[in-house]
Amino acid sequence: MFPSHGGERSIVRTGLAPATQLAEFATEDVALPSFHLWTLGCQMNRSDSEEMAGALSAAGCSEAGSLESADLIVINTCAIREAAEQKVIGRMGHLAQLRAANPSLRVVMTGCSVRANNTASLKRRYPQIDVFLRPDEEPELTLRLGLAGPTAPGLMADQQRYELQRVGASVAATADQLPRTRAAAVGEGRVQRDSQISAWLPIIYGCDKTCTYCIVPFSRGPERSRPFDDVIAEARSLAAAGYREVTLLGQNVNSYGHDLAPDPRFANVHESRNLGRRLALDGRPDMAALLRAIDGLRTADGVPAISRLRFVTSHPWDLSDRLVSAMADCPSICEHLHLPVQSGDDAVLHRMGRQYTTEAYLELVARLRAAIPAISLTTDVIVGFCGETEAQFERTLEMLREVRFEQVFAAAFSPRPGTPAARLPDDVPRAEKKRRLQALLNLQEQIGLEANQRWVGQPTEVLVDTVRRPSGHEHDGPGAPRVSGRNRHNKLVHLDGGAELIGQLVAVHVDRAGPYALAGTLANA
Ligand code: SAM
Ligand code: SF4
């Protein structure tokens, strides 16, 4: 509720048109709301939510323990598949009940479901929402709520701040404020990170690819790289704060830098062999330069200040030789790469607009394995894409058998309104998609088990991050697995030990393997 406590906060004079600012929060006699962030979807959303939580806290709001106890709910949506949107639609009834019980409750929707030109239909679909913010408008959150937030008045209020660009048949806003507002949030300590062990570090916003099934370019706009020095400054601050692991984020991290201004420091960066397009990188920083610079942040003993460096997601088309070399050379870069393949059939890949062939993908895998023999590869697959025949699906299974990915994130194709693929016939019946998905998961379970069994009897280093509750068949006695974490190859490892291990890098002896995880004991116990 918003009990009346006059003068508890000040009001930001925004210069925004009145219709874009939530009137109810713009009066001076309400208390600060307690907020709850409901985050769906990918790591980028989780990172964005950390920034929004930081902005709300900096505005003086407190965090509510649950959706039910909040005065302000922020839903950070995912639109990648229909099921993700259905989750939110399915909660509208519950939100209506909460509103009836708490008339002061306000609900904000952001994330990939909110796009430049769909607010009218969103209002019909989500009647309980008060404010819709596109992902690039998230820095305006406190401003739009009428809360005295960290966003400097005038910074975001400039009505000229967006250029609208056509992406396919749609229009996306290309606000260039995100790198600037992120740097300010980091500099002022306003990123409320979920973990004190592993941190997300966004390096590039948006996506320039045109995968025909994907909504992301429509919701997040074209690529905008963060300035090189801003990324290094954030990495440095994470190292100083004791973070063990940093994951660089972007929809396509490998094209980092192509949109930045040339800089004499990167005069040595030229095109290097890429699978696909030649990025105009001459004199600009690239992903390899960025990784080497973060790896170069060292302690007094000369070891990497951030022990583990990861990055997602990599589009095969932009994975350069320079990047592969950096991965091989830098001790902090983990021996794991998530490299979405999507399909094992060239005609399907072509319809998906993925811009590589299966042969080129396999050649890239061979290059990676030659340079980093222990590398663990994981991937994304879509089954039942428009026109996918049984034979084409079989070729995807063949790809899995050939590459032997350690893990596969697979989903049935879900047509997304407004994407090019939504105009193709969605002709694989739902039941058939389900069958193919299950067949693929069954195969991968076997491959995953065999891959994991190779770890049994081996030592591995685990960054412990979770206390586990023993499951039904486990005993609570000595030796029962109690904590878990990941090794450098991104394998989930369960082990004995207590909460005192959280945040530590420990040596583990692997005793057992299942298809999805390893189990072991502390090597020096
Ligand atoms: N940028 C990454 C890449 O290069 O593939 C992936 C980003 S996307 C948010 C994550 C995954 O969602 C994709 O790799 C794809 O497998 C899946 N995905 C995207 N659109 C989909 C759709 N319409 N139906 C089913 N799965 C989809
Ligand atoms: Fe979507 Fe393709 Fe961009 Fe990944 S690379 S976000 S799948 S358009």
Side-chain angles (χ1 to χ4, degrees):
M1 297 287 285
F2 284 84
S4 194
H5 294 298
E8 278 200 14
R9 67 189 172 88
S10 57
I11 297 299
V12 179
R13 299 291 165 215
T14 66
L16 285 176
T20 59
Q21 189 166 9
L22 192 65
E24 288 88 340
F25 280 19
T27 56
E28 249 143 334
D29 62 351
V30 290
L32 294 161
S34 65
F35 69 90
H36 182 80
L37 265 151
W38 177 23
T39 306
L40 298 104
C42 66
Q43 296 98 328
M44 190 55 103
N45 265 15
R46 289 167 67 184
S47 169
D48 291 345
S49 285
E50 291 182 339
E51 212 173 306
M52 287 189 280
L56 289 166
S57 296
C61 303
S62 57
E63 205 163 346
S66 66
L67 201 80
E68 287 72 22
S69 57
D71 304 311
L72 169 64
I73 296 171
V74 180
I75 310 176
N76 196 356
T77 58
C78 170
I80 212 83
R81 287 179 282 273
E82 197 192 343
E85 295 204 292
Q86 283 301 337
K87 265 192 205 162
V88 179
I89 292 170
R91 294 296 278 274
M92 282 299 117
H94 184 51
L95 286 176
Q97 285 169 357
L98 294 177
R99 293 194 81 121
N102 176 5
S104 304
L105 176 65
R106 296 292 174 262
V107 189
V108 177
M109 175 181 274
T110 184
C112 286
S113 294
V114 186
R115 295 186 283 285
N117 50 3
N118 72 342
T119 316
S121 71
L122 284 175
K123 280 188 176 139
R124 283 194 299 278
R125 256 182 129 186
Y126 303 99
Q128 303 305 332
I129 308 293
D130 300 291
V131 176
F132 294 96
L133 287 178
R134 293 191 308 270
D136 52 272
E137 291 177 312
E138 284 168 6
E140 293 182 7
L141 175 65
T142 52
L143 197 68
R144 293 275 288 272
L145 294 172
L147 298 166
T151 316
L155 174 63
M156 302 301 295
D158 174 7
Q159 295 300 310
Q160 302 305 312
R161 64 198 185 284
Y162 300 119
E163 261 178 53
L164 293 178
Q165 285 199 2
R166 191 153 283 282
V167 180
S170 185
V171 168
T174 61
D176 285 326
Q177 306 286 356
L178 292 179
R180 204 146 55 105
T181 49
R182 174 73 186 187
V186 172
E188 292 159 25
R190 280 190 279 103
V191 180
Q192 197 170 303
R193 298 188 189 268
D194 286 342
S195 161
Q196 292 175 337
I197 305 160
S198 301
W200 310 117
L201 200 174
I203 63 166
I204 182 166
Y205 299 107
C207 183
D208 280 357
K209 294 282 180 289
T210 49
C211 304
T212 55
Y213 50 80
C214 186
I215 198 72
V216 170
F218 301 89
S219 54
R220 294 196 174 256
E223 289 170 358
R224 284 140 291 149
S225 302
R226 288 182 66 198
F228 186 86
D229 294 330
D230 286 4
V231 177
I232 301 302
E234 184 166 343
R236 204 183 283 279
S237 72
L238 291 168
Y243 278 90
R244 299 281 200 174
E245 181 174 74
V246 168
T247 303
L248 309 183
L249 292 183
Q251 297 302 335
N252 176 19
V253 282
N254 298 350
S255 65
Y256 173 80
H258 72 97
D259 54 326
L260 295 174
D263 178 330
R265 288 178 296 169
F266 306 107
N268 64 325
V269 180
H270 302 289
E271 281 176 353
S272 76
R273 181 187 147 130
N274 284 359
L275 197 55
R277 85 180 149 170
R278 295 278 174 257
L279 286 172
L281 277 169
D282 294 280
R284 297 171 168 86
D286 66 351
M287 187 60 182
L290 191 66
L291 287 167
R292 285 184 189 275
I294 298 174
D295 180 75
L297 301 174
R298 299 293 167 115
T299 66
D301 305 334
V303 296
I306 294 164
S307 310
R308 293 181 173 193
L309 189 52
R310 303 182 186 275
F311 50 97
V312 279
T313 302
S314 290
H315 192 293
W317 210 38
D318 291 325
L319 203 138
S320 68
D321 280 352
R322 279 177 51 84
L323 177 50
V324 177
S325 301
M327 291 178 72
D329 292 348
C330 295
S332 65
I333 302 178
C334 290
E335 294 79 9
H336 167 237
L337 185 69
H338 186 64
L339 194 64
V341 65
Q342 310 298 0
S343 168
D345 180 81
D346 287 338
V348 174
L349 285 175
H350 184 71
R351 282 202 297 284
M352 287 178 166
R354 288 293 287 182
Q355 296 159 317
Y356 52 81
T357 59
T358 51
E359 188 188 355
Y361 185 94
L362 290 171
E363 200 239 345
L364 185 52
V365 167
R367 263 197 283 151
L368 281 160
R369 286 185 168 152
I372 311 142
I375 196 164
S376 133
L377 295 172
T378 56
T379 201
D380 290 346
V381 168
I382 297 176
V383 301
F385 186 65
C386 312
E388 184 189 71
T389 63
E390 180 63 24
Q392 289 171 331
F393 169 65
E394 284 293 330
R395 280 194 274 280
T396 298
L397 298 184
E398 216 26 67
M399 173 67 90
L400 264 50
R401 285 188 200 101
E402 184 155 359
V403 179
R404 300 188 71 76
F405 295 104
E406 307 276 335
Q407 205 177 354
V408 176
F409 299 87
F413 169 60
S414 167
R416 307 314 295 136
T419 59
R423 295 195 296 276
L424 299 173
D426 178 24
D427 51 3
V428 180
R430 190 183 286 258
E432 179 58 15
K433 284 180 184 167
K434 216 170 146 188
R435 186 197 66 77
R436 290 182 191 176
L437 185 59
Q438 197 51 54
L440 184 145
L441 294 176
N442 291 346
L443 170 64
Q444 183 55 35
E445 188 167 291
Q446 187 57 34
I447 293 173
L449 179 62
E450 286 165 16
N452 285 353
Q453 278 167 341
R454 289 202 309 271
W455 282 94
V456 176
Q458 303 291 321
T460 194
E461 180 203 78
V462 176
L463 176 55
V464 181
D465 59 10
T466 309
V467 179
R468 291 177 64 233
R469 257 186 306 171
S471 57
H473 62 279
E474 288 169 345
H475 300 292
D476 210 1
R482 289 281 186 75
V483 291
S484 58
R486 302 228 164 225
N487 70 5
R488 290 176 59 93
H489 301 73
N490 211 35
K491 293 274 176 202
L492 179 62
V493 185
H494 303 305
L495 64 140
D496 55 331
E500 72 282 355
L501 293 179
I502 296 291
Q504 288 192 40
L505 286 163
V506 294
V508 172
H509 181 270
V510 179
D511 302 319
R512 283 170 290 132
Y516 307 107
L518 308 174
T521 43
L522 281 176
N524 305 323

